[in-house]
Amino acid sequence: MTDFEKKNVCIIGYGSFGTAISILLAGKGHSVSVTDMNKELLMNCRETGENSRYLPGAKIPSGINYIIEESENKKEIAAALEESDIVVFAVPAQVFRAAFAGISDLIPEDAIVVDVAKGIEIESLKRLSEVAEEVRPGTRYVSLSGPSHAEEVGIGLPTTVAVASDDKEAAKTIQEAFSTERFRVYTNDDIVGVELGGSLKNIMALGAGISDGLGFGDNAKAALMTRGMAEIMRLGVAMGAKEETFAGLTGVGDLIVTCTSMHSRNRRCGILLGEGVPVEEAMKEVGMVVEGVYTCEAACKLADKLGVDMPITKSIKACLDGKLTPGEAIDNLMLRSLKSE
């Protein structure tokens, strides 16, 4: 891991995972610049060496460059992007298009764009790699996904992820740039499966949380996770993914960690829903973007469009829409007509 080429990296979005990645890359020796729409957040991080709002307890290296624009002329961000080999987008999936479009003309053509968001754009039903290609054709786009809570990455706990791209050289470059003794990166050539696995598991994490909030046990959660993965695979294959991808880190690996950990904002939101808290209130209490809420809507639209059976996903959507209580949704799933697995 000691022999590697140092890169200039610019990180767009300084929430929990953006912060964790900045710590990882700066700690490895890369030159790291970060920016965010929240100037006060960036100034606080620069002064204290900690993102107390999104990643408390993780020490941010002193060498990171904070881009805090005082005007809308983008001079500082333009200068940082001009020198960047890698641009990491750590913004919510539903704002990725706007964030990328806003600076895409400043990103060098040969720079690699790495997206760490996990979601499907609601309006277009596109994966984020498709959004990037639509905004700027020919973008060297890499998706990073897998069981990787920022709370653990930020303090150097062992983590393993996968990076996927249609550009094998770009994926290999990111693998080498991001890998450390505590952050192991695999490459994967199935970007459809990697993006969908990372996105759709958030729906099942909501369901796992609902189950916990209702006071159900391990049996119920195990069943939900297993049958939920069957739904994810059905939709994924219908969209062109490889079935075996869902048995890997970005499929079952990410599903396990997101459905079982209190680091998971989707599971925490689900617990509140199971306890009877309205969805808007639950999302506000979690305090960060709950991607599964948005992905659930997109997944239901895709399932209808492609004729894919997704009863768990649709039951969770009914709960989010207030059409069913969590208890009624469980009853509907348990009392469906009997069938073979």
Side-chain angles (χ1 to χ4, degrees):
M1 298 288 183
T2 56
D3 185 20
F4 71 98
E5 183 182 349
K6 292 186 178 181
K7 302 289 187 181
N8 292 322
V9 184
C10 188
I11 299 175
I12 313 299
Y14 214 50
S16 58
F17 206 75
T19 304
I21 288 296
S22 76
I23 294 170
L24 172 83
L25 296 177
K28 185 169 178 178
H30 296 298
S31 175
V32 178
S33 296
V34 303
T35 192
D36 191 277
M37 291 182 66
N38 189 334
K39 297 175 185 179
E40 185 178 339
L41 171 74
L42 292 176
M43 288 189 285
N44 184 262
C45 291
R46 184 173 61 186
E47 291 168 8
T48 65
E50 179 185 8
N51 190 335
S52 57
R53 177 175 178 180
Y54 292 114
L55 201 64
K59 178 66 177 173
I60 301 173
S62 58
I64 286 178
N65 173 40
Y66 294 90
I67 303 170
I68 306 173
E69 297 280 10
E70 296 301 332
S71 65
E72 299 303 316
N73 58 23
K74 299 183 182 177
K75 282 186 178 179
E76 288 186 54
I77 187 67
L81 289 170
E82 184 181 5
E83 300 297 323
S84 293
D85 304 299
I86 299 167
V87 181
V88 179
F89 280 85
V91 299
Q94 302 308 320
V95 301
F96 170 69
R97 180 186 291 273
F100 184 47
I103 59 171
S104 62
D105 60 327
L106 303 175
I107 300 173
E109 285 189 16
D110 59 346
I112 299 172
V113 170
V114 179
D115 200 338
V116 299
K118 300 172 179 178
I120 298 167
E121 191 175 58
I122 292 179
E123 295 300 322
S124 67
L125 303 183
K126 291 181 184 291
R127 294 174 288 106
L128 300 187
S129 62
E130 294 176 305
V131 173
E133 181 65 18
E134 189 173 284
V135 171
R136 195 182 81 165
T139 296
R140 303 186 71 198
Y141 181 98
V142 173
S143 175
L144 186 151
S145 190
S148 51
H149 287 311
E151 292 83 354
E152 297 185 7
V153 175
I155 59 173
L157 296 183
T159 300
T160 306
V161 300
V163 291
S165 178
D166 292 329
D167 183 335
K168 291 184 179 180
E169 184 181 336
K172 183 69 175 174
T173 297
I174 298 306
Q175 178 185 45
E176 293 172 353
F178 282 53
S179 291
T180 72
E181 291 82 357
R182 289 292 180 267
F183 195 80
R184 182 172 175 82
V185 183
Y186 288 87
T187 58
N188 190 310
D189 62 3
D190 180 18
I191 191 168
V192 179
V194 167
E195 288 187 297
L196 290 176
S199 301
L200 298 172
K201 54 84 187 177
N202 286 328
I203 303 169
M204 303 311 160
L206 282 172
I210 289 171
S211 177
D212 290 335
L214 286 167
F216 296 158
D218 295 337
N219 293 348
K221 190 187 294 186
L224 186 143
M225 291 168 65
T226 307
R227 298 307 304 159
M229 179 49 73
E231 291 190 15
I232 291 171
M233 289 174 66
R234 282 199 296 269
L235 183 60
V237 171
M239 293 179 66
K242 298 176 183 177
E243 187 171 319
E244 58 267 27
T245 300
F246 299 103
L249 289 165
T250 61
V252 68
D254 211 355
L255 181 75
I256 291 169
V257 79
T258 313
C259 288
T260 61
S261 173
M262 280 305 287
H263 288 319
S264 166
R265 65 193 72 169
N266 291 282
R267 180 182 172 228
R268 296 203 310 270
C269 182
I271 290 171
L272 293 169
L273 294 173
E275 291 173 345
V277 177
V279 62
E280 294 298 333
E281 226 177 285
M283 292 173 70
K284 186 176 180 180
E285 187 167 331
V286 170
M288 290 183 276
V289 174
V290 182
E291 293 283 16
V293 173
Y294 305 102
T295 306
C296 191
E297 180 178 340
C300 287
K301 290 179 179 177
L302 285 166
D304 289 341
K305 180 180 177 181
L306 298 170
V308 176
D309 186 30
M310 299 187 76
I312 295 174
T313 301
K314 292 193 172 182
S315 292
I316 293 171
K317 180 68 164 61
C319 290
L320 296 175
D321 292 344
K323 295 178 180 178
L324 291 176
T325 66
E328 290 170 340
I330 293 295
D331 288 342
N332 284 358
L333 288 169
M334 293 296 288
L335 296 174
R336 289 185 305 137
S337 59
L338 302 178
K339 59 179 68 177
S340 298
E341 186 179 31

